[in-house]
Amino acid sequence: MIQLENVEKVYRRSDGFVRALAGVTLDIEAGCFVVVRGPSGCGKSTLLNVIGGLASPTAGRVRVAGQDLSAMSAAERARFRASHVGFVFQTFHLLPYLTVLENVAMAALPGQEAAAKKRAHQLLYDFHLADRAGHRPAELSTGECQRVAIARALINQPRLLLADEPTGNLDPQNTATVLDLLETFHRQGGTVVLVTHQQVASNHAQRTILLHEGKIESSDSPASMLAEGPLDG
Ligand code: ADP
């Protein structure tokens, strides 16, 4: 599903250059639930943005769903994103002046607006938000806002969901609900890449990638981490 080859991402800032990704090579199978961890500033969000086509790599190759993102123009990447990737962020990014239903349906692919509106209603029903469809985000709790954001991410039925600290602003109960929604997407065959600091979220991972200063420090499934651990301590 996702192949990265020697990916570098360098940002230019007023105080110099920042190497957010410093040669990342990675292969994530379709249908995998991957958690990305690491200290603040190690490149987790950048990695997600490069995988999802929100940012282009400075060097290296990025292939997602069989397509070479590194060779695409910004417009091509935007089209790719709309049809293949759902993004979920810590701060929801809902549009305050649109209703819940409009927020979910707004990401619909061109020409599919009618079907998307129907699907938005279904997603809101599935996520226990049907009675909120006509409300604006300011009238919702944070947990409800994140459920709306996940519904929006799923509106075009992507195979890949990229979530950047989606439970960072939520209490434990809403965290569990959001993780359940990600898990349901995964059980239905979707690929999930989840950036998180929270152990409870990591428990869902089939594989954990640890980043450090823009490089992969380790990339293990829980079983292999266990096998390498000090079992006879
Ligand atoms: P993390 O998600 O692990 O906290 P980020 O990917 O956000 O890390 O950032 C990695 C590094 O790149 C940090 O030093 C950050 O300040 C820098 N960075 C991220 N985005 C930008 C940007 N748009 N412009 C300049 N520097 C950036």
Side-chain angles (χ1 to χ4, degrees), residues 124-191:
L124 292 178
Y125 177 81
D126 293 346
F127 291 6
H128 306 291
L129 290 163
D131 60 339
R132 294 282 192 230
H135 290 229
R136 313 234 177 242
E139 300 169 280
L140 270 51
S141 70
T142 50
E144 288 171 331
C145 282
Q146 194 56 302
R147 269 148 52 212
V148 174
I150 295 173
R152 179 190 55 193
L154 298 180
I155 192 67
N156 294 323
Q157 300 179 277
R159 307 297 295 150
L160 173 62
L161 201 53
L162 302 176
D164 198 348
E165 297 277 8
T167 55
N169 285 341
L170 304 182
D171 62 26
Q173 195 184 337
N174 281 305
T175 294
T177 304
V178 162
L179 292 174
D180 273 352
L181 294 178
L182 300 186
E183 188 60 56
T184 301
F185 172 81
H186 169 237
R187 269 202 309 275
Q188 291 166 351
T191 308

Side-chain angles (χ1 to χ4, degrees), residues 11-13 18-20 38-47 164 195:
Y11 291 111
R12 188 192 201 123
R13 292 200 307 211
V18 181
R19 233 172 142 209
S40 180
C42 70
K44 303 183 294 298
S45 297
T46 304
L47 179 67
D164 198 348
V195 168

Side-chain angles (χ1 to χ4, degrees), residues 2-8 21-28 47 50-51 59-63 207 209-211 214-219:
I2 301 167
Q3 284 108 26
L4 268 60
E5 261 176 60
N6 265 322
V7 168
E8 305 219 357
L21 295 177
V24 170
T25 296
L26 182 62
D27 199 330
I28 294 175
L47 179 67
V50 163
I51 291 173
R61 258 183 92 175
V62 179
R63 286 183 70 82
R207 183 172 165 196
I209 293 169
L210 194 60
L211 277 184
K215 292 192 165 127
I216 294 184
E217 191 166 88
S218 66
S219 173

Side-chain angles (χ1 to χ4, degrees), residues 85-151:
V85 188
F87 268 98
V88 184
F89 303 93
Q90 178 170 0
T91 48
F92 324 131
H93 295 324
L94 299 176
L95 295 177
Y97 48 86
L98 295 183
T99 65
V100 162
L101 182 71
E102 288 164 346
N103 263 286
V104 174
M106 65 163 275
L109 289 169
Q112 296 184 21
E113 290 83 358
K117 198 166 172 197
K118 233 172 129 184
R119 192 169 150 70
H121 275 295
Q122 183 64 48
L123 283 163
L124 292 178
Y125 177 81
D126 293 346
F127 291 6
H128 306 291
L129 290 163
D131 60 339
R132 294 282 192 230
H135 290 229
R136 313 234 177 242
E139 300 169 280
L140 270 51
S141 70
T142 50
E144 288 171 331
C145 282
Q146 194 56 302
R147 269 148 52 212
V148 174
I150 295 173

